[in-house]
Amino acid sequence: MELAGGGVTEAPRARPAEFPFTLPHGLVAPDGTVHREGTMRMSTALDEIEPIKDPRVRSNPGYLVIILLTRVITRLGSLEYINTHTVENLYSGDLAYLQDFYQRINVNGHARLQVDCPHCDGSFEVEPPGLGG
């Protein structure tokens, strides 16, 4: 990109639209298939506001996370679509993992973790390995 004064600057880099994840346990389908690989997109303001209108959230605020994750998970294994029933049937460990993943991509704009090296006291970011193998 060239500026009016003749200077040149880099074009802004687009953020990734979706982030891949691997569930620690995976969703077990009725046929025994385990769905672990998925993608999540960054949320919008509407994703966070719209679920508040849902009567399930009004009667049980804990249900907010179910609806919110349903809106932003774009793929899980070979499932054709993601609905609230899908997220309701995740293991608790997978739900906690997805809540943490949601926070990382929406607060930091990436899925990397900030870690501190116990040997050199340095601080740096790492891509988390897939969990559970």
Short mmCIF file of all heavy atoms in Angstrom, two decimals, residues 19-23 36-40 73-76 97-98 101:
data_model
loop_
_atom_site.label_atom_id
_atom_site.label_comp_id
_atom_site.label_asym_id
_atom_site.label_seq_id
_atom_site.Cartn_x
_atom_site.Cartn_y
_atom_site.Cartn_z
N PHE A 19 -10.59 -21.05 13.36
CA PHE A 19 -9.44 -21.61 14.07
C PHE A 19 -9.70 -23.10 14.31
O PHE A 19 -10.76 -23.46 14.84
CB PHE A 19 -9.25 -20.91 15.41
CG PHE A 19 -8.97 -19.44 15.28
CD1 PHE A 19 -10.01 -18.53 15.16
CD2 PHE A 19 -7.67 -18.98 15.24
CE1 PHE A 19 -9.76 -17.18 15.02
CE2 PHE A 19 -7.41 -17.63 15.12
CZ PHE A 19 -8.46 -16.73 15.01
N PRO A 20 -8.75 -23.95 13.94
CA PRO A 20 -8.95 -25.39 14.17
C PRO A 20 -8.72 -25.76 15.62
O PRO A 20 -7.93 -25.12 16.33
CB PRO A 20 -7.89 -26.03 13.27
CG PRO A 20 -6.82 -25.01 13.16
CD PRO A 20 -7.50 -23.66 13.24
N PHE A 21 -9.42 -26.78 16.07
CA PHE A 21 -9.22 -27.31 17.43
C PHE A 21 -9.37 -28.82 17.42
O PHE A 21 -9.93 -29.40 16.48
CB PHE A 21 -10.21 -26.68 18.43
CG PHE A 21 -11.66 -26.98 18.17
CD1 PHE A 21 -12.23 -28.19 18.56
CD2 PHE A 21 -12.47 -26.05 17.54
CE1 PHE A 21 -13.56 -28.47 18.32
CE2 PHE A 21 -13.81 -26.32 17.29
CZ PHE A 21 -14.36 -27.53 17.68
N THR A 22 -8.85 -29.44 18.47
CA THR A 22 -9.00 -30.88 18.69
C THR A 22 -9.52 -31.08 20.11
O THR A 22 -8.85 -30.69 21.07
CB THR A 22 -7.66 -31.62 18.51
OG1 THR A 22 -7.14 -31.34 17.21
CG2 THR A 22 -7.85 -33.12 18.68
N LEU A 23 -10.69 -31.66 20.24
CA LEU A 23 -11.27 -31.89 21.56
C LEU A 23 -10.47 -32.94 22.32
O LEU A 23 -10.03 -33.93 21.73
CB LEU A 23 -12.73 -32.34 21.43
CG LEU A 23 -13.71 -31.34 20.83
CD1 LEU A 23 -15.09 -31.98 20.67
CD2 LEU A 23 -13.78 -30.08 21.68
N ARG A 36 -13.67 -35.34 16.95
CA ARG A 36 -12.75 -34.55 17.78
C ARG A 36 -12.23 -33.30 17.07
O ARG A 36 -11.94 -32.30 17.72
CB ARG A 36 -11.56 -35.41 18.19
CG ARG A 36 -11.95 -36.56 19.11
CD ARG A 36 -10.76 -37.35 19.57
NE ARG A 36 -9.90 -36.51 20.37
CZ ARG A 36 -8.59 -36.62 20.39
NH1 ARG A 36 -7.98 -37.52 19.67
NH2 ARG A 36 -7.87 -35.81 21.14
N GLU A 37 -12.03 -33.37 15.75
CA GLU A 37 -11.46 -32.25 15.01
C GLU A 37 -12.57 -31.28 14.62
O GLU A 37 -13.61 -31.71 14.13
CB GLU A 37 -10.77 -32.74 13.73
CG GLU A 37 -9.75 -33.84 13.96
CD GLU A 37 -8.52 -33.37 14.69
OE1 GLU A 37 -8.12 -32.21 14.48
OE2 GLU A 37 -7.98 -34.15 15.48
N GLY A 38 -12.34 -30.00 14.85
CA GLY A 38 -13.35 -29.03 14.50
C GLY A 38 -12.75 -27.67 14.22
O GLY A 38 -11.53 -27.48 14.27
N THR A 39 -13.62 -26.72 13.94
CA THR A 39 -13.20 -25.33 13.73
C THR A 39 -14.19 -24.41 14.44
O THR A 39 -15.38 -24.73 14.57
CB THR A 39 -13.15 -24.95 12.24
OG1 THR A 39 -14.40 -25.25 11.63
CG2 THR A 39 -12.03 -25.66 11.51
N MET A 40 -13.66 -23.30 14.89
CA MET A 40 -14.48 -22.28 15.55
C MET A 40 -14.13 -20.93 14.92
O MET A 40 -12.97 -20.66 14.65
CB MET A 40 -14.18 -22.24 17.05
CG MET A 40 -15.00 -21.22 17.82
SD MET A 40 -14.55 -21.10 19.58
CE MET A 40 -15.05 -22.69 20.20
N ILE A 73 -19.12 -22.62 16.64
CA ILE A 73 -18.46 -23.84 16.14
C ILE A 73 -18.97 -24.07 14.72
O ILE A 73 -20.16 -24.23 14.49
CB ILE A 73 -18.76 -25.05 17.04
CG1 ILE A 73 -18.17 -24.84 18.42
CG2 ILE A 73 -18.18 -26.33 16.41
CD1 ILE A 73 -18.58 -25.90 19.44
N THR A 74 -18.06 -24.06 13.77
CA THR A 74 -18.46 -24.16 12.37
C THR A 74 -18.32 -25.58 11.82
O THR A 74 -18.88 -25.89 10.77
CB THR A 74 -17.63 -23.20 11.50
OG1 THR A 74 -16.24 -23.48 11.71
CG2 THR A 74 -17.92 -21.76 11.86
N ARG A 75 -17.56 -26.40 12.53
CA ARG A 75 -17.40 -27.80 12.07
C ARG A 75 -16.99 -28.64 13.26
O ARG A 75 -16.23 -28.20 14.12
CB ARG A 75 -16.33 -27.87 10.97
CG ARG A 75 -16.14 -29.27 10.39
CD ARG A 75 -15.02 -29.31 9.35
NE ARG A 75 -13.73 -29.00 9.92
CZ ARG A 75 -12.97 -29.88 10.60
NH1 ARG A 75 -13.40 -31.10 10.80
NH2 ARG A 75 -11.81 -29.52 11.08
N LEU A 76 -17.50 -29.86 13.31
CA LEU A 76 -17.05 -30.85 14.30
C LEU A 76 -17.10 -32.21 13.63
O LEU A 76 -18.18 -32.72 13.32
CB LEU A 76 -17.93 -30.83 15.55
CG LEU A 76 -17.49 -31.82 16.65
CD1 LEU A 76 -16.06 -31.55 17.11
CD2 LEU A 76 -18.43 -31.75 17.83
N TYR A 97 -12.73 -27.10 27.57
CA TYR A 97 -11.70 -26.81 26.56
C TYR A 97 -12.24 -25.78 25.56
O TYR A 97 -11.54 -24.81 25.22
CB TYR A 97 -11.30 -28.10 25.83
CG TYR A 97 -10.42 -27.85 24.64
CD1 TYR A 97 -9.05 -27.67 24.80
CD2 TYR A 97 -10.97 -27.77 23.36
CE1 TYR A 97 -8.24 -27.41 23.70
CE2 TYR A 97 -10.17 -27.51 22.26
CZ TYR A 97 -8.81 -27.33 22.43
OH TYR A 97 -8.02 -27.06 21.35
N LEU A 98 -13.47 -25.95 25.08
CA LEU A 98 -14.03 -25.03 24.09
C LEU A 98 -14.26 -23.64 24.66
O LEU A 98 -14.08 -22.63 23.97
CB LEU A 98 -15.33 -25.59 23.51
CG LEU A 98 -15.16 -26.78 22.58
CD1 LEU A 98 -16.51 -27.40 22.25
CD2 LEU A 98 -14.42 -26.37 21.30
N PHE A 101 -10.85 -22.11 24.64
CA PHE A 101 -10.48 -21.83 23.25
C PHE A 101 -11.22 -20.58 22.75
O PHE A 101 -10.63 -19.72 22.10
CB PHE A 101 -10.81 -23.05 22.39
CG PHE A 101 -10.26 -23.01 21.01
CD1 PHE A 101 -8.93 -23.32 20.76
CD2 PHE A 101 -11.07 -22.66 19.93
CE1 PHE A 101 -8.41 -23.27 19.48
CE2 PHE A 101 -10.57 -22.61 18.65
CZ PHE A 101 -9.24 -22.93 18.41
#
